[in-house]
Amino acid sequence: MAGKELVIVEDLHKVYRMGEMEVHVLRGITLKIDEGEFVAVMGPSGAGKSTFMNIVGCLDYPTRGHYILYRQKVSTLNTNQLAEIRNKKIGFVFQSFNLLPRLTAVENVELPLIYAGVPRKERRSRALKMLWAMGLKGREYYTPSRLSGGEQQRVAIARAIVNQPILILADEPTGNLDSVSAREVMVIFQRLNDQGITIVLVTHESDIAQYARRKLIFRDGKVVEDTGAVALQPLLKGGTA
Ligand SMILES: Nc1ncnc2c1ncn2[C@@H]1O[C@H](COP(=O)(O)OP(=O)(O)OP(=O)(O)O)[C@@H](O)[C@H]1O
Ligand SMILES: [Mg+2]
């Protein structure tokens, strides 16, 4: 099934300058990700995985190359448009949960809705529904320090999806979790993917990567392996037609 293209990157490079030194972190990444895909990004530490995710999430920009997100050329978008895309189209999940410690679970989940201008009552009811869907009934008014790691990550996922994003970017979301909590979190990602949300997830663990249908292996700033036969098929067909 040929899906719609969500992410297209072409010859993506990223060079960090540190004084006199240049660090060439991404060295020409070309790939596309269709709507509805579940992609695992793997590879050794320092290979450029997080750098790639940050660019895809519009949190950072490439030094060179093209990036088209949802049919829009990201380099042509202004700061407000980028903020809007980040807030409404993309949900981020990080290894360290990144919840605000003084806010309750439900208040954390409400944050993206505040930025989106959703009225207070609707905010609360949507945030509560998200938490319940994540199996967090009874934990709504806990602050993060009173929640387990797995519970905190599920609050973070609720926050990531409360705006109904089309894309979830998760950078080692199970990296700080025990294996039972990790599996719970992966089952949630799988469910979200079944609902049609595109997921790109960085992991070092092959049993976590098994949940994805496609694997990208990064090494030294390049993709050295891509099992994305499904995604490449339309390109090949297009090429021979
Ligand atoms: N802001 C920065 N300035 C300079 N160098 C950076 C910056 N961010 C990342 N790097 C360098 O870029 C390289 C790739 O980093 P990146 O975080 O993308 O790797 P990674 O594949 O996510 O690794 P890990 O598996 O350890 O998370 C590393 O050598 C890192 O030191
Ligand atoms: Mg990383």
Side-chain angles (χ1 to χ4, degrees):
M1 188 181 65
K4 276 189 273 172
E5 290 158 341
L6 181 60
V7 166
I8 304 174
V9 298
E10 210 175 86
D11 198 29
L12 212 63
H13 287 255
K14 181 72 183 179
V15 179
Y16 286 113
R17 272 171 244 285
M18 305 203 296
E20 297 281 281
M21 278 242 297
E22 281 195 349
V23 191
H24 207 145
V25 177
L26 296 182
R27 299 168 175 268
I29 310 272
T30 298
L31 56 88
K32 72 184 186 77
I33 297 170
D34 283 345
E35 261 181 76
E37 281 203 78
F38 191 156
V39 183
V41 175
M42 302 190 78
S45 185
K49 304 180 299 294
S50 294
T51 305
F52 172 74
M53 296 288 277
N54 290 342
I55 292 174
V56 171
C58 305
L59 296 168
D60 200 355
Y61 54 89
T63 315
R64 202 172 97 203
H66 299 290
Y67 177 22
I68 295 164
L69 173 63
Y70 214 55
R71 294 180 283 283
Q72 287 176 299
K73 215 170 166 185
V74 171
S75 60
T76 63
L77 302 177
N78 65 35
T79 319
N80 285 339
Q81 290 169 316
L82 279 178
E84 171 130 350
I85 284 192
R86 272 199 305 266
N87 191 37
K88 296 207 173 140
K89 300 263 191 253
I90 304 176
F92 294 95
V93 181
F94 303 96
Q95 178 172 5
S96 50
F97 321 134
N98 291 11
L99 298 173
L100 294 188
R102 287 174 193 277
L103 299 186
T104 62
V106 70
E107 287 167 342
N108 267 285
V109 178
E110 281 181 53
L111 279 177
L113 299 175
I114 294 177
Y115 301 136
V118 175
R120 196 170 56 88
K121 269 196 176 148
E122 188 189 334
R123 253 177 11 224
R124 181 57 51 110
S125 75
R126 276 172 64 180
L128 286 173
K129 277 193 199 124
M130 280 299 146
L131 286 174
W132 298 338
M134 296 298 125
L136 288 166
K137 218 170 190 132
R139 298 286 185 273
E140 299 91 331
Y141 303 101
Y142 280 37
T143 49
S145 63
R146 297 171 64 206
L147 297 168
S148 73
E151 288 168 342
Q152 289 184 58
Q153 194 59 303
R154 282 184 278 142
V155 174
I157 295 172
R159 181 183 58 184
I161 61 171
V162 74
N163 257 334
Q164 298 173 297
I166 47 177
L167 172 63
I168 292 179
L169 297 173
D171 197 344
E172 298 192 50
T174 62
N176 281 338
L177 302 181
D178 62 86
S179 60
V180 173
S181 305
R183 202 170 323 122
E184 283 170 1
V185 159
M186 292 312 296
V187 167
I188 287 171
F189 280 126
Q190 192 158 54
R191 202 172 73 213
L192 294 172
N193 182 245
D194 289 342
Q195 292 164 10
I197 302 180
T198 309
I199 297 178
V200 184
L201 178 147
V202 177
T203 182
H204 284 282
E205 293 155 77
S206 54
D207 54 333
I208 295 294
Q210 294 310 320
Y211 286 85
R213 276 190 280 271
R214 176 180 176 191
K215 286 184 198 102
L216 294 176
I217 316 287
F218 275 61
R219 187 161 293 136
D220 297 329
K222 287 184 177 163
V223 174
V224 293
E225 197 183 327
D226 181 354
T227 65
V230 174
L232 287 174
Q233 201 62 29
L235 276 184
L236 294 174
K237 272 187 196 152
T240 53

